[in-house]
Amino acid sequence: MKHIVIDARIRRASTGRYVDRLIEHLQNLDKTNNYTVLINSSDSWRPKSTNFNYSYCDYPQFSFNPISQLTFAWQLYKLRADLVFFPMNQQPLLYFKTTITAVMDLTMLRFSRPGKHSKIFHIIRMQAYKFLFWYSLKKSKHILTISNFVKNDIVNSYPFVKSKITTTYCASEPSISENPTKPIGISKPFVMHVGSPLPHKNIERLLKAFEILKQDYPELKLVLAGKKEFFFNKLLNNEIRLNKYKNHIIVPGFIDDNELRWLYENAEAYVLPSLSEGFGLPGLEAMAHGTPLVSSNATCLPEVYGDAAYYFNPNNIGDMAEKISDVLSDEKLRQKLVNSGCRQLKKYSWEKMAQETLAVYEKILKED
């Protein structure tokens, strides 16, 4: 019987679904090892299995504060773990015992997102992040990734990980069960995208493609859903404000699940123009609701979506507009994408991801 610690501080964030589903399924799969799950003190998560426990851990996920670094490492040492699993590269520099790290993608290393901070602060922070990224890969006994594209990307950038890296695919959630409710101010026909317009999400080019589409589809609307934070406000104040068809670009902000279900079920297409993804969960969620998917062909997306998406070059605005137009105008193509999406979803399972992750844990524990 071993003691495994899982850092789940990110569990409630938009990028925390991976670790949330992992600990959910591990509780059913592993009744032998003991687990401690690190969560924020404001997190209401509690274990349902007797061999799982939790410990509060309120250290920030992105911090080089020496006190936080030291005390976080000390907390881990006191837990006397045989293995610590970090679902992200942010981890204490001074913890030297056995660790496994999951890497979602290399997006943060390649796409600048300075936000509210000054450029100098952002440059310093990025250099620190790059060092921590390299260091976490170097000292980890094993690396987990969520697509073969990311796996190969990491190996090409950091060849020393080649012998200690494994892909464990994510999965989609089931379709939303709440009764669909039409959001205020949205009418058909529309295409949609959900999520923060971070620089790598490429929403600026989608807005320009929308201007082209409006020439042939004058009634078409573009719905961009997601919490209105820094990047959304920046988009509203700049690209959307200057867009020729700004009155047909709808930004409802954060929407409830019942409203999201209505959007999925009534959209002409879900458009994913991203320049970089580690797995591409939004596209799978669109498939789960029977929404035709028009997607970028960048990074891992063709690997994950297979023939269930209609692809375009995300750097080519004309190609993006043309491929969206094809799906809007061709009912047979739309139905083909919907049917292929149903088949594609069956390839992925959160339980399988947890099984494969547990196998890596056990392999490393045996080696130690």
Side-chain angles (χ1 to χ4, degrees), residues 156-174:
N156 289 336
S157 300
Y158 305 92
F160 60 83
V161 307
K162 186 175 182 179
S163 63
K164 59 173 187 177
I165 189 167
T166 300
T167 298
T168 60
Y169 286 117
C170 296
S172 174
E173 301 301 300

Side-chain angles (χ1 to χ4, degrees), residues 79-327:
L79 288 171
R80 298 182 181 276
D82 296 294
L83 169 66
V84 178
F85 174 61
F86 293 101
M88 56 195 306
N89 295 79
Q90 289 71 43
Q91 48 194 266
L93 292 165
L94 299 177
Y95 186 75
F96 303 111
K97 296 187 71 177
T98 303
T99 62
I100 293 174
T101 299
V103 180
M104 302 294 105
D105 53 48
L106 302 186
T107 298
M108 282 191 66
L109 298 177
R110 294 186 175 138
F111 291 88
S112 177
R113 52 173 83 175
K116 301 176 184 178
H117 301 295
S118 68
K119 289 185 178 180
I120 294 176
F121 179 86
H122 174 68
I123 291 171
I124 294 172
R125 189 171 186 238
M126 282 305 301
Q127 292 306 311
Y129 175 77
K130 288 177 180 179
F131 168 74
L132 184 54
F133 193 96
W134 169 84
Y135 183 71
S136 65
L137 296 180
K138 194 72 175 176
K139 73 185 183 74
S140 293
K141 290 285 187 177
H142 206 85
I143 309 299
L144 294 175
T145 69
I146 55 176
S147 67
N148 285 328
F149 175 87
V150 176
K151 176 182 176 180
N152 294 331
D153 201 18
I154 296 169
V155 170
N156 289 336
S157 300
Y158 305 92
F160 60 83
V161 307
K162 186 175 182 179
S163 63
K164 59 173 187 177
I165 189 167
T166 300
T167 298
T168 60
Y169 286 117
C170 296
S172 174
E173 301 301 300
S175 59
I176 296 168
S177 59
E178 281 82 354
N179 290 327
T181 301
K182 182 177 177 295
I184 296 172
I186 297 178
S187 60
K188 300 190 286 185
F190 64 90
V191 294
M192 66 178 288
H193 178 274
V194 179
S196 177
L198 295 163
H200 69 278
K201 295 297 184 179
N202 202 28
I203 301 302
E204 291 83 359
R205 286 193 179 96
L206 174 58
L207 291 169
K208 292 178 181 178
F210 180 66
E211 288 187 325
I212 297 174
L213 286 165
K214 288 291 285 183
Q215 297 173 25
D216 293 324
Y217 304 92
E219 300 303 315
L220 186 68
K221 271 78 71 177
L222 173 61
V223 177
L224 302 174
K227 183 180 178 182
K228 289 184 180 178
E229 38 63 75
F230 175 82
F231 290 103
F232 247 128
N233 291 330
K234 182 180 177 183
L235 194 74
L236 282 164
N237 293 328
N238 294 285
E239 285 81 6
I240 292 179
R241 183 176 61 85
L242 298 174
N243 193 282
K244 182 178 179 181
Y245 300 102
K246 61 183 177 182
N247 292 334
H248 282 183
I249 300 170
I250 304 167
V251 183
F254 176 82
I255 55 175
D256 296 329
D257 281 350
N258 51 358
E259 295 175 317
L260 181 57
R261 178 179 172 182
W262 187 92
L263 289 177
Y264 277 131
E265 292 179 350
N266 288 276
E268 300 299 313
Y270 187 99
V271 184
L272 187 72
S274 184
L275 298 169
S276 178
E277 295 289 334
F279 187 73
L281 281 175
L284 291 185
E285 290 176 355
M287 292 178 199
H289 290 85
T291 313
L293 175 62
V294 192
S295 172
S296 157
N297 64 6
T299 61
C300 70
L301 298 176
E303 173 191 348
V304 174
Y305 299 153
D307 63 357
Y310 197 58
Y311 297 102
F312 55 80
N313 178 348
N315 293 299
N316 187 324
I317 296 166
D319 188 40
M320 190 186 305
E322 180 182 342
K323 296 304 169 54
I324 297 171
S325 178
D326 287 347
V327 172

Side-chain angles (χ1 to χ4, degrees), residues 56-97:
Y56 289 137
C57 183
D58 286 319
Y59 300 109
Q61 290 154 10
F62 295 88
S63 175
F64 270 82
N65 181 295
I67 295 176
S68 294
Q69 283 282 329
L70 182 62
T71 52
F72 186 14
W74 180 239
Q75 179 180 1
L76 293 175
Y77 282 120
K78 288 193 296 182
L79 288 171
R80 298 182 181 276
D82 296 294
L83 169 66
V84 178
F85 174 61
F86 293 101
M88 56 195 306
N89 295 79
Q90 289 71 43
Q91 48 194 266
L93 292 165
L94 299 177
Y95 186 75
F96 303 111
K97 296 187 71 177

Side-chain angles (χ1 to χ4, degrees), residues 286-293 305-310 331-347:
M287 292 178 199
H289 290 85
T291 313
L293 175 62
Y305 299 153
D307 63 357
Y310 197 58
E331 183 58 36
K332 288 185 178 179
L333 174 59
R334 291 166 53 78
Q335 195 55 52
K336 175 181 177 293
L337 293 171
V338 171
N339 294 340
S340 297
C342 291
R343 293 191 296 270
Q344 193 71 8
L345 287 171
K346 296 176 182 177
K347 297 180 179 181

